[in-house]
Amino acid sequence: MCGIIGVIGDDPLAALLDGLSRLEYRGYDSVGVAVLAGGELWRIRAAGGGALVDLRSRVGKGELFEPSSSLTPGRSRGLPPGELVAAAGIGHTRWATHGAPTEQNAHPHSGCTGRIALAHNGIIENHRELAARLQASGHTFTSDTDTEVLVHLLEENEDGDGLAASMRRALRTVQGTFAIVAVSISDPDVIVAARRVSPLIVGIGVDRASGYVASDLPALLGRADCFYSLEDDQVAEVGAGSFVVTGLSGEPATPHELKSKWTLEDSEKAGYETFMEKEMAEQPDAISDTLRSRLRPDGFALLDDGLASAGERASALATAAYLDTIERITILACGSSLYAAMAARPAFETWANVPTDVEIASEYRYRSLAADARTLAIAMSQSGETTDTLQAARAVLGRGLPLLAVTNVVGSSLSREAQAVCYTRAGPEIGVAATKTLTTQIAILQLLAAELGQRRRVLDRGDVARISGSLARLPALVGKALAHHDEVREVAARIGQARDFFYLGRGVGYPVALEGALKLKEIAYVHAEGYPAGEMKHGPIACFEPGTVVVAVATRGPLWEKMMGNIAEARARRVTMVVVCEEGDRETAEVADEVLTVPSAPDPLTSPVIDVIAMQLLAYEIARGKGLDVDRPRNLAKTVTVE
Ligand code: M6R
């Protein structure tokens, strides 16, 4: 969950601070950097809201302290601005797991000598046992983190043969998950990185004279242009413009080269006030990119494209013969990805005639599976790093079943472990709230459903042309939905102070309701429940009273009349009724206190991609009205790498 960066060459301090500001979405409880300069190690850390801003201003004032001095009372001293000429450094932005989000617990950690600094993402499962052993041999711990044990282990394993060698020896005793970056006064020409499960990327600078390590690509865009993803239990020694990778026994190893098309501009706000606003606005283009070259007048080409990108591993899935044998689809996902899968499920069932289950990944991995070789398992995760989804995917792979990954991140763990991968091509999403990744996920699954329907001859040529036309219109229709932003802002101003929100929908409107409620909880911290409208009368309606806001998805799908009945039942309890309805639909608008207008979907099955825009805008405006930081909501992180 945390963000990690390491830099050697270039201007390390500037590159670290810049990289950290682009990694804040990974976690923002606390932040810290450590740099090697003038034969010493300097560290600064900050915790709490605005930690990075605080840290930047302190760095500007020259408040850097060498850890060795700060461990000895009375010896710590600051360094005046400009005096620090760093050769290498590491930085970290934290989402707390072990230990409160305090400065003491912030990374980088240094050990007893203050000669090594280390930052870590992941969880060291045997940290207690290791700490007990280290304490017995004289090490003193100063934080409540599991991470600190790593830096003491490095000290313990120093043998005059370099930091990477100490790292390899140390990691042989470690259980758990990690992405690590470390620097040492004794080995100033390298930064050393290692990975097990938690992702870590090595980058070579555009100037060919700098080396980088980061947990995520956006931190390096603009500075590096060759990227490699470390595999599990690989250790990288990164110098200025080159690197060497070995396994834990010192054997040469090869990292995975990443071929990403993301650019620096993709990861900047580009004049928008927030990343979320920018990413919502990017949805028409993102969906166009998702569909590009995969949607043809005579059909769909997702499988050829998506499966080919997985190379040899695709063989099991790529054959038409295999796809023709599929009797069931199971989609594994979490959070918004789960709701995207639910929104696409009817397309698999209607267009491809394949029964489809959507499973909460964190629950699925602990169930005894009913799936067999005729079930196509799809694991979907925008980041491709969500532990719950990865572990569910591994449960599928562990049973020898084929797995298709749907993800937005090229080279992510999920994309590398599955036999085949389809990329959503949404570009980097920095805001914690999923927006463009969600709509592109729905679009890509619907493409897959249509392609399966075509292959399996469920769809005739007329159907193919109609569905292809409906999908092709999505970018423009999403653009029209976004054009209602000002109206949504006014609605948000009138209802934004309510305490309880219920989001209701039926059929494909139900996952839209779930996503609406999730967005409101996530960025506006307002209690909200998403419910299938037909279930309302089985319990939740007891909570309805004046002041309760009910947001009903009432676009003109086949269940519209049923939905109108549910709206009437809710209105009878004098709730504030907000409806999502189509432009020009006065009949639906008349039953509402407030209206969120969206354009009509040419095919009701594609309506979630359009209707969900109103949900995003409403949550966004309610959160902004409360003065909240929508890009970095409290307690959350963009990529959830803990169970
Ligand atoms: O990276 P993933 O798609 O696997 O993430 C899954 C969820 O953590 C994610 O969708 C989360 O619910 C979003 N922040 C919601 O906006």
Side-chain angles (χ1 to χ4, degrees):
M1 318 269 275
C2 312
I4 285 182
I5 182 160
V7 185
I8 184 159
D10 197 356
D11 173 357
L13 191 52
L16 290 172
L17 293 174
D18 181 32
L20 285 174
S21 66
R22 290 199 238 144
L23 283 174
E24 265 194 300
Y25 70 109
R26 295 277 305 201
Y28 27 85
D29 293 339
S30 54
V31 66
V33 296
V35 293
L36 290 172
E40 289 195 275
L41 186 56
W42 307 83
R43 178 178 64 170
I44 186 163
R45 301 178 293 176
L52 185 57
V53 174
D54 179 28
L55 185 116
R56 273 180 182 279
S57 103
R58 284 167 56 195
V59 168
K61 291 184 211 145
E63 286 184 35
L64 283 169
F65 297 86
E66 69 226 73
S68 48
S69 304
S70 62
L71 293 173
T72 314
R75 281 198 55 219
S76 70
R77 62 181 172 87
L79 197 72
E83 218 177 85
L84 186 104
V85 184
I90 62 175
H92 187 266
T93 177
R94 179 170 185 246
W95 186 88
T97 56
H98 293 61
T102 60
E103 198 168 315
Q104 195 74 1
N105 289 331
H107 306 211
H109 288 283
S110 63
C112 299
T113 63
R115 298 177 61 78
I116 301 174
L118 173 145
H120 161 237
N121 182 15
I123 292 179
I124 306 303
E125 284 162 7
N126 58 339
H127 71 101
R128 282 189 198 83
E129 173 196 325
L130 290 170
R133 213 185 303 153
L134 288 158
Q135 277 160 340
S137 60
H139 288 261
T140 307
F141 284 68
T142 56
S143 78
D144 306 318
T145 65
D146 55 328
T147 297
E148 194 185 344
V149 78
L150 292 171
V151 73
H152 292 280
L153 267 183
L154 285 180
E155 288 178 338
E156 194 69 10
N157 280 283
E158 278 192 299
D159 200 15
D161 52 356
L163 182 60
S166 315
M167 181 75 84
R168 286 190 289 267
R169 282 190 289 274
L171 291 181
R172 284 183 221 140
T173 61
V174 167
Q175 288 162 16
T177 60
F178 49 77
I180 299 170
V181 61
V183 285
S184 166
I185 290 175
S186 315
D187 203 355
D189 297 330
V190 290
I191 45 179
V192 172
R195 173 211 180 150
R196 185 183 295 161
V197 181
S198 305
L200 205 59
I201 294 165
V202 174
I204 295 299
V206 180
D207 59 4
R208 299 290 176 264
S210 312
Y212 298 89
V213 173
S215 51
D216 299 59
L217 204 58
L220 305 185
L221 295 175
R223 292 185 183 269
D225 58 359
C226 299
F227 304 104
Y228 301 84
S229 169
L230 293 187
E231 306 281 348
D232 282 355
D233 287 341
Q234 289 185 344
V235 174
E237 279 172 89
V238 183
S242 63
F243 69 93
V244 175
V245 179
T246 50
L248 289 190
S249 306
E251 71 282 15
T254 314
H256 172 87
E257 186 174 358
L258 288 179
K259 296 211 162 75
S260 173
K261 295 193 176 129
W262 291 2
T263 65
L264 178 61
E265 294 71 47
D266 289 337
S267 66
E268 292 182 329
K269 281 190 196 155
Y272 287 91
E273 283 189 33
T274 64
F275 279 111
M276 185 177 171
E277 187 182 12
K278 174 184 175 236
E279 287 155 5
M280 287 192 295
E282 284 173 341
Q283 289 179 105
D285 287 344
I287 297 167
S288 289
D289 285 346
T290 304
L291 300 178
R292 184 174 22 86
S293 74
R294 293 164 165 172
L295 198 57
R296 299 178 184 158
D298 60 337
F300 316 95
L302 171 65
L303 288 177
D304 289 339
D305 166 46
L307 299 180
S309 63
E312 289 169 13
R313 290 174 298 136
S315 53
L317 286 172
T319 58
Y322 167 73
L323 291 166
D324 292 344
T325 64
I326 294 169
E327 289 182 359
R328 212 170 182 88
I329 290 174
T330 299
I331 310 178
L332 313 167
C334 305
S336 291
S337 295
L338 181 81
Y339 300 151
M342 289 172 70
R345 169 171 41 200
F348 285 106
E349 299 190 333
T350 311
W351 296 343
N353 204 15
V354 188
T356 300
D357 307 305
V358 176
E359 301 278 355
I360 298 169
S362 55
E363 294 291 323
Y364 182 82
R365 69 172 290 210
Y366 294 108
R367 282 176 38 200
S368 50
L369 301 185
D372 62 22
R374 283 155 303 177
T375 301
L376 171 62
I378 303 175
M380 186 158 78
S381 162
Q382 77 79 20
S383 61
E385 302 295 348
T386 300
T387 295
D388 290 326
T389 308
L390 266 177
Q391 297 296 4
R394 286 172 186 155
V396 169
L397 291 166
R399 286 168 172 81
L401 301 177
L403 180 83
L404 171 65
V406 175
T407 181
N408 193 41
V409 180
V410 173
S412 56
S413 301
L414 187 60
S415 75
R416 288 168 33 228
E417 293 189 29
Q419 279 108 351
V421 57
C422 295
Y423 290 111
T424 42
R425 304 179 184 158
E429 188 175 74
I430 308 293
V432 165
T435 52
K436 61 178 179 171
T437 55
L438 169 113
T439 44
T440 53
Q441 284 174 337
I442 303 174
I444 203 164
L445 286 185
Q446 294 197 330
L447 258 172
L448 179 60
E451 182 159 2
L452 285 177
Q454 189 181 18
R455 277 176 186 258
R456 296 159 71 92
R457 299 198 167 75
V458 180
L459 302 176
D460 63 24
R461 282 167 70 173
D463 296 326
V464 167
R466 181 181 53 75
I467 292 168
S468 180
S470 303
L471 292 172
R473 288 184 60 198
L474 283 176
L477 293 170
V478 165
K480 285 180 86 178
L482 286 163
H484 290 282
H485 195 153
D486 289 345
E487 294 154 42
V488 179
R489 186 178 298 115
E490 287 166 20
V491 173
R494 290 191 287 270
I495 65 171
Q497 295 310 316
R499 206 189 53 187
D500 293 307
F501 283 67
F502 285 84
Y503 285 71
L504 306 178
R506 300 188 77 127
V508 286
Y510 169 44
V512 174
L514 288 170
E515 174 63 8
L518 174 62
K519 281 285 158 290
L520 192 68
K521 283 182 277 223
E522 182 181 26
I523 61 171
Y525 318 149
V526 176
H527 167 242
E529 287 190 42
Y531 240 84
E535 277 290 294
M536 177 188 78
K537 58 189 176 292
H538 298 293
I541 199 166
C543 297
F544 289 8
E545 60 187 7
T548 306
V549 174
V550 174
V551 183
V553 183
T555 45
R556 295 266 179 166
L559 298 175
W560 174 79
E561 275 169 359
K562 302 277 178 215
M563 194 66 212
M564 290 300 275
N566 299 136
I567 289 173
E569 290 152 18
R571 273 171 58 89
R573 275 77 198 178
R574 294 187 290 138
V575 300
T576 301
M577 177 57 65
V578 182
V579 296
V580 178
C581 77
E582 292 167 28
E583 289 162 354
D585 182 357
R586 296 174 72 167
E587 190 182 355
T588 307
E590 265 167 22
V591 302
D593 299 298
E594 303 287 352
V595 174
L596 303 175
T597 314
V598 291
S600 304
D603 180 323
L605 288 190
T606 62
S607 63
V609 176
I610 301 164
D611 298 353
V612 81
I613 303 297
M615 301 305 193
Q616 295 171 352
L617 293 173
L618 182 65
Y620 180 82
E621 286 303 334
I622 291 177
R624 294 283 284 169
K626 292 176 186 290
L628 297 172
D629 180 349
V630 294
D631 289 337
R632 294 175 302 167
R634 71 184 179 201
N635 304 336
L636 289 172
K638 183 73 183 162
T639 309
V640 185
T641 52
V642 290
E643 265 198 79

